[in-house]
């Protein structure tokens, strides 16, 4: 009987302690050995010469829109896009139609993964003013990554904007809460200043720095008062990053690939296809985000994949939909940033593997180490390729990064020891399952 089910041979592994040319042995879906396995017997062997072997990359911030509009996205198409883009796990947001806010809908969503998910999936539960007493129990259900609070800019009944309700949410449960942090009061106060047909760059004027900063200041005050840990999603301003350095006792930080890659020139070039919440901002904030990557302020990088139809994106501002596709392109673009010298591969792994696992408490994910799930993203750092819309498999069919040439590309993804994607081809059938979390049951 072979010693291993699979051995990855001759690649450069990005290990927690650094890069190392070594082999990885897999048994029963988990990493069984890391070291010189040239003479080891294996049922399957993959030559990884010239490739870097990363832990399976995680996008902890996606909107798969299911249930919702299958003409825009589904769980099957969104996870297929994730896999083609080199990811092995995604965490799916709750603002679907209907929203995932109670036990019945959560149980349905968990069962819905079977036979549809191409990668492993963590599930957010949405907070509303109506379900606050149930949140402490909901956050402990199997495969729940976190409670998500929309303190500004929400859909349906998911808006929780006032301090009393926010504090009540924080006192219902104990796990880290994830926040969309924009101040709803400032948003509504300034809304009459803008009218239909104005230039798209007014999006960052309406949802300005103060809108983001005031929201985050309020949340940090409440988090420290209650002792409830917070994760501030898609931080977009230099001012918030400076503030959050003083709240590391209660807060972790996410930035988006878009806020590391795009500036306000995108409004003139892309129109509605540059509109997202919080908005893309000017060069000063992009530089601050990269400085925060360098000094460790940022824990996680995500895509905030939020597809809409072309028709919804092409309406005049501010009548169009806010949100950009990203789950299929985040890995190539982050590898391109590595190639450009903006961060190391080890830091990329920290931001998209170890960081999400640490912040959300995912078990068996996030690092190359014995006993962990045998999830791998194999990348060719010399591969040059242009992002093309014909490659995008989300039904909406567009990306704001069309035409961007990347140096570095994911060429294979392995999910629990089985090759799931190789050179633009998904292999087999959907075998994703719910991600396990330390504080959740099951």
């Amino acid at each position: 009987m072979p010693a291993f089910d699979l051995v990855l041979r001759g690649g450069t592994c990005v290990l927690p302690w650094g890069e190392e040319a070594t082999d990885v042995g897999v048994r029963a879906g988990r990493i069984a050995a890391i070291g010189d396995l040239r003479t080891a017997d294996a049922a399957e062997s993959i030559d990884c010469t010239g490739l870097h072997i990363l832990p399976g990359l995680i996008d902890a911030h996606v909107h798969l829109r299911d249930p919702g509009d299958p003409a825009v996205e589904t769980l099957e198409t969104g996870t297929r896009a994730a896999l083609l883009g080199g990811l092995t796990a995604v965490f799916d947001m709750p603002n679907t139609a209907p929203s995932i806010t109670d036990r019945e809908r959560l149980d349905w969503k968990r069962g819905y993964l079977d036979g549809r998910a191409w990668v492993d999936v963590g599930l957010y539960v949405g907070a509303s003013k109506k379900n606050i007493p149930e949140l402490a129990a909901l956050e402990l259900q199997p495969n729940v990554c976190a409670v998500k609070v929309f303190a500004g800019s929400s859909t349906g009944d998911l808006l929780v904007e006032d301090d009393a309700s926010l504090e009540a949410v924080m006192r219902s449960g104990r796990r880290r809460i994830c926040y969309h942090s924009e101040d709803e009061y400032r948003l509504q106060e300034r809304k009459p200043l803008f009218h239909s047909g104005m230039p798209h760059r007014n999006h960052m004027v309406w949802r300005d720095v103060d809108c983001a900063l005031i929201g985050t200041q309020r949340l940090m005050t409440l988090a420290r008062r209650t002792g409830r840990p917070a994760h501030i999603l898609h931080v977009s301003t230099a001012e918030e990053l400076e503030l959050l350095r003083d709240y590391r006792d209660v807060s972790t930080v996410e930035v988006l690939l878009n806020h590391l890659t795009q500036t306000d020139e995108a409004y003139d070039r892309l129109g509605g296809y540059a509109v997202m919440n919080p908005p893309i901002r000017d060069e000063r904030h992009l530089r601050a985000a990269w400085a925060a990557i360098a000094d460790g302020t940022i824990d996680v990088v995500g895509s905030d994949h939020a597809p809409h139809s072309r028709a919804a994106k092409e309406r005049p501002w501010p009548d169009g939909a806010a949100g950009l596709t990203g789950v299929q392109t985040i890995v190539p673009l982050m590898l391109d940033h590595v190639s450009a010298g903006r961060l190391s591969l080890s830091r990329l792994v920290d931001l998209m593997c170890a960081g999400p696992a640490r912040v959300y408490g995912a078990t068996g994910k996030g690092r190359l180490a014995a006993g962990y799930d045998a999830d791998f993203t194999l990348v060719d750092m010399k591969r040059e390729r242009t992002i093309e819309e014909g490659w995008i498999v989300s039904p909406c069919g567009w990306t704001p990064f069309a035409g961007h040439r990347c140096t570095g590309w994911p060429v294979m993804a392995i999910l629990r020891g089985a090759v799931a994607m190789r050179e633009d081809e998904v292999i087999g059938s959907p075998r994703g399952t719910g991600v396990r979390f330390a504080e959740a049951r099951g």
Side-chain angles (χ1 to χ4, degrees), residues 160-228:
V160 183
E161 78 280 24
D162 62 286
D163 284 4
S165 297
L166 286 167
E167 182 168 347
V169 168
M170 293 179 191
R171 295 191 183 280
S172 181
R174 65 173 185 267
R175 293 180 67 191
R176 189 176 301 275
I177 300 174
C178 297
Y179 295 95
H180 179 126
S181 176
E182 290 183 284
D183 188 74
E184 183 68 14
Y185 300 105
R186 183 171 176 82
L187 281 175
Q188 296 306 320
E189 175 187 310
R190 290 164 53 77
K191 194 171 184 178
L193 300 175
F194 304 94
H195 60 80
S196 182
M198 293 179 74
H200 288 91
R201 63 173 44 250
N202 281 284
H203 196 65
M204 70 173 186
V205 179
W206 173 34
R207 310 179 90 98
D208 64 356
V209 170
D210 284 346
C211 175
L213 181 61
I214 292 168
T216 299
Q217 286 171 327
R218 289 174 56 211
L219 288 171
M220 289 300 94
T221 298
L222 291 169
R224 192 165 277 170
R225 179 190 302 168
T226 61
R228 185 71 182 270

Side-chain angles (χ1 to χ4, degrees), residues 11-33:
T12 300
C13 293
V14 183
L15 302 165
W17 46 91
E19 294 186 16
E20 187 174 326
T22 191
D23 305 323
V24 183
V26 173
R27 189 184 302 120
R30 294 187 178 181
I31 297 171

Side-chain angles (χ1 to χ4, degrees), residues 92-247:
D92 187 28
M93 286 292 174
N95 55 329
T96 48
S99 302
I100 308 302
T101 55
D102 59 35
R103 178 69 180 272
E104 180 181 3
R105 293 174 188 171
L106 178 61
D107 288 346
W108 172 85
K109 188 69 173 275
R110 187 186 301 109
Y112 190 69
L113 300 177
D114 293 341
R116 293 182 176 87
W118 286 95
V119 300
D120 288 350
V121 179
L123 301 172
Y124 288 90
V125 170
S128 72
K129 293 177 183 177
K130 297 177 181 178
N131 73 351
I132 292 174
E134 287 78 50
L135 291 176
L138 287 171
E139 73 172 7
L140 298 179
Q141 294 304 303
N143 313 125
V144 170
C145 61
V147 169
K148 169 67 179 294
V149 174
F150 291 86
S153 181
S154 78
T155 56
D157 63 350
L158 290 178
L159 182 64
V160 183
E161 78 280 24
D162 62 286
D163 284 4
S165 297
L166 286 167
E167 182 168 347
V169 168
M170 293 179 191
R171 295 191 183 280
S172 181
R174 65 173 185 267
R175 293 180 67 191
R176 189 176 301 275
I177 300 174
C178 297
Y179 295 95
H180 179 126
S181 176
E182 290 183 284
D183 188 74
E184 183 68 14
Y185 300 105
R186 183 171 176 82
L187 281 175
Q188 296 306 320
E189 175 187 310
R190 290 164 53 77
K191 194 171 184 178
L193 300 175
F194 304 94
H195 60 80
S196 182
M198 293 179 74
H200 288 91
R201 63 173 44 250
N202 281 284
H203 196 65
M204 70 173 186
V205 179
W206 173 34
R207 310 179 90 98
D208 64 356
V209 170
D210 284 346
C211 175
L213 181 61
I214 292 168
T216 299
Q217 286 171 327
R218 289 174 56 211
L219 288 171
M220 289 300 94
T221 298
L222 291 169
R224 192 165 277 170
R225 179 190 302 168
T226 61
R228 185 71 182 270
H231 184 51
I232 306 301
L233 299 167
H234 43 46
V235 174
S236 63
T237 70
E239 286 79 358
E240 286 174 283
L241 291 166
E242 185 64 31
L243 171 76
L244 288 164
R245 290 185 179 96
D246 293 329
Y247 286 89

Side-chain angles (χ1 to χ4, degrees), residues 269-319:
R269 181 167 50 87
L270 298 172
Y273 292 98
V275 173
M276 62 184 295
N277 298 327
I280 294 164
R281 305 190 190 275
D282 62 38
E283 182 80 21
R284 177 174 73 88
H285 300 288
L286 181 143
R287 289 197 304 270
W290 279 112
I293 292 280
D295 71 14
T297 299
I298 293 167
D299 299 277
V300 177
V301 169
S303 73
D304 196 1
H305 174 73
H308 296 279
S309 69
R310 289 185 183 273
K313 295 299 288 180
E314 291 171 3
R315 297 186 196 118
W317 187 85
D319 308 319

Side-chain angles (χ1 to χ4, degrees), residues 310-337:
R310 289 185 183 273
K313 295 299 288 180
E314 291 171 3
R315 297 186 196 118
W317 187 85
D319 308 319
L324 306 178
T325 62
V327 75
Q328 195 170 339
T329 53
I330 183 172
V331 176
L333 288 159
M334 287 301 293
L335 293 175
D336 191 52
H337 285 309

